[in-house]
Amino acid sequence: MTSKTIALTGAEIRADYSGGTNAWLRNDGTATVYASAEAGISAGADGVVSIPAGQAAAIYGACGSVYLLGIGSVMLIGSDYTAC
């Protein structure tokens, strides 16, 4: 299991991690963050998860990298568990 804080600047980034198949994300910022296992994030698109400020979500099957779009910061935890 891996955990790290990712700083977001408003541009889409790829965050690599180890320690599991799934990426658990907690939005520590004040604005909505978007996440996906695939590049090319577009709000509302299939496979894109919106994470409101102060909330958490999982990207199942991200397999070592997740794409993030937004501002602020996100806590990322890589895990094989299906519940955080």
Side-chain angles (χ1 to χ4, degrees):
M1 185 161 56
T2 299
S3 66
K4 59 183 175 177
T5 300
I6 310 294
L8 304 174
T9 62
E12 182 175 305
I13 64 165
R14 176 182 167 157
D16 294 319
Y17 67 93
S18 61
T21 303
N22 306 317
W24 288 92
L25 303 163
R26 183 185 69 206
N27 182 352
D28 292 335
T30 59
T32 299
V33 170
Y34 299 93
S36 178
E38 303 290 330
I41 292 175
S42 178
D46 289 344
V48 175
V49 175
S50 63
I51 310 169
Q55 300 297 310
I59 304 295
Y60 296 107
C63 299
S65 64
V66 65
Y67 294 86
L68 303 167
L69 177 65
I71 58 171
S73 66
V74 170
M75 171 63 72
L76 184 153
I77 299 173
S79 172
D80 281 329
Y81 294 108
T82 56
C84 191

